[in-house]
Structure formats: C-alpha cells, structure tokens
Amino acid sequence: MAASDGRTTRTAGATRAVKGKKDAVAAARRPDVRLPLVPYEGEGLEPDGDYDGVRFDGVDLADASGRGARFMDCALDGCTLDRAELARARFIDAVLTGVRGVGTGLAEASLRDVEVVDARLGGVQLHGAVLERVVVRGGKIDYLNLREARLKDVVFEGCVLSEPDFGGAHLVRVEFRDCVLKRADFSGARMESVDLRAVAELDIARGVDRLAGAVISPSQLMELAPAFAAQIGVRVEA
C-alpha cells in the first residue's frame, strides 16, 4: 500500500509539474546590442547600401531612399525619418533612440536584436516585416502598420500605441508591459505566448476573437467581457 501511495504521490507531482509548464507564459528574449562609435559623415542613404558600425547622430533622413539597405551594429540618435523609404531594409544589432517621423516606409523590413527607444512616429509601414528580439521602449507610435508581420521575442514597454494594426500578424512570445494600446486591431492575428497582463490600458477595436494564445488578467477579462459576449452573439440585459 505504501508503494502504491508513493507511486500516486510521484504521479501527482509529475502532473502538477507538467500543468505548471503548460500554464506558464514563455518570456520574450531581449536583444543584446553593442553600440558603435564611428560617426556617419555621409548624406542621405543609398538603396541597398551597407552601413556597418555607424552612428547616425541627428541626421535628417527625411525622404531618404534606403530600400534594401543593411544597418549592422548601427545607432540612429534623434534622426528624422519622415517619408524615408526603407522597404526590405535590414537592421541587425541596432539602436534607434529618439527617432521621429511620419510615413516611414519599412514594409517587409527585417529587425533583429534591435532597440527602439523614445520614438515619436506616425503611420509607420511595417507590414510584412520580421521582428525578432526587438524592444520598443517609451515614446509614442500612431497608426503602426504590422499587418501580416511576424513578431518573435518582441517587447513593447512603457510606450503608447495608438490604433496599431496587427491584422494577420503572427505573434510569438510578445509582451506588452506598462504600455497603452488604443483601438488595437488583431483581426486574423495568430498568437503564441502573448502576455497582455501588464498593459496599462487595453482597448481592442477588432479581433477580440483572435486572443487565443494570449494571457490576460482577471480585471482585463471583466473589461473585455462585453466584447467577448458580442463576439458569440450573447445579449446581456438587466
């Protein structure tokens, strides 16, 4: 009987351990970025340009054409990015601090091991982009377009995202911490280990039915209850 009890105890312990792993939310891996020291002395950008170990300090890149360019071990500090054309550009081990601009084109760009700090951007086009080990910290981004993008190990921290579009995007190990999500669109999105519990303000305009794979807090569940009820056609009346 004692042997049987021992086996039962071990089995229960194993069950609890497995359940604990299943219920845990995988944390996003953060980038490890090394900053460069060589200042950029050129003007504008070149399509398919190769920028390695360069610091862009306050450079005006408005209307610059850097389609397909590669930025490796680069830093962009206080740069203007209005209407900059950076489609299919690659940012690897890069830090963008205090960048600002409207209509920056980053469609199908690749960002790996990148930090974006205190950005002030509007209408950024990142549809079809690939973001891996990216941290967006502070600042405000309006109308962020991430449709059909792939995000893996991405952290949004202490920032304001106004009307971000994640339509059709695939999010894996994405964390939203102390940030504001206003009128977010998750239509058609796929989620795996997406942590929304620490969002300061969660406002989902569309796609509440695509939250499978995300984790929310009990208070957020109460706030989203009307949207969940409407999604399945339930009327709530007193």
Side-chain angles (χ1 to χ4, degrees):
M1 186 69 177
S4 175
D5 290 345
R7 284 194 296 270
T8 301
T9 301
R10 286 193 295 272
T11 301
T15 301
R16 285 194 297 272
V18 171
K19 186 177 185 299
K21 290 182 179 179
K22 183 178 179 181
D23 292 345
V25 181
R29 292 175 293 176
R30 294 180 177 245
D32 181 14
V33 181
R34 297 172 178 80
L35 294 179
L37 298 174
V38 180
Y40 180 65
E41 298 179 350
E43 293 184 5
L45 299 172
E46 294 182 3
D48 298 315
D50 196 351
Y51 305 96
D52 193 346
V54 175
R55 179 186 296 278
F56 296 79
D57 192 357
V59 179
D60 186 355
L61 297 175
D63 298 305
S65 180
R67 175 182 288 268
R70 184 180 74 105
F71 300 83
M72 185 169 183
D73 293 322
C74 286
L76 280 71
D77 294 337
C79 295
T80 303
L81 299 175
D82 292 290
R83 302 170 303 281
E85 180 52 71
L86 294 164
R88 297 188 178 179
R90 290 170 292 165
F91 291 83
I92 305 168
D93 293 317
V95 177
L96 287 71
T97 304
V99 295
R100 59 194 183 279
V102 176
T104 307
L106 285 158
E108 299 182 9
S110 175
L111 284 69
R112 189 174 76 236
D113 292 309
V114 170
E115 294 181 10
V116 181
V117 182
D118 294 331
R120 295 283 176 173
L121 300 168
V124 181
Q125 301 300 311
L126 272 162
H127 52 277
V130 177
L131 286 68
E132 184 172 358
R133 293 190 300 276
V134 173
V135 172
V136 179
R137 182 184 304 111
K140 185 180 184 211
I141 305 178
D142 297 325
Y143 310 111
L144 174 62
N145 185 352
L146 282 164
R147 293 189 71 83
E148 304 295 336
R150 288 179 289 161
L151 292 76
K152 185 176 181 180
D153 294 311
V154 175
V155 179
F156 295 96
E157 188 173 68
C159 56
V160 176
L161 302 179
S162 181
E163 298 192 40
D165 189 349
F166 294 92
H170 187 189
L171 293 75
V172 180
R173 292 194 298 274
V174 175
E175 300 176 15
F176 296 87
R177 298 193 169 279
D178 300 319
C179 60
V180 174
L181 281 177
K182 294 182 178 179
R183 308 296 295 167
D185 187 349
F186 289 110
S187 302
R190 293 175 293 156
M191 300 186 182
E192 301 175 36
S193 295
V194 173
D195 196 342
L196 293 163
R197 292 174 294 180
V199 172
E201 180 182 332
L202 181 58
D203 177 15
I204 299 178
R206 289 172 294 277
V208 70
D209 59 316
R210 307 301 297 187
L211 293 182
V215 178
I216 61 176
S217 69
S219 61
Q220 289 170 336
L221 175 60
M222 297 301 294
E223 292 171 2
L224 292 172
F228 284 130
Q231 182 63 41
I232 60 175
V234 173
R235 291 190 305 170
V236 181
E237 297 180 356

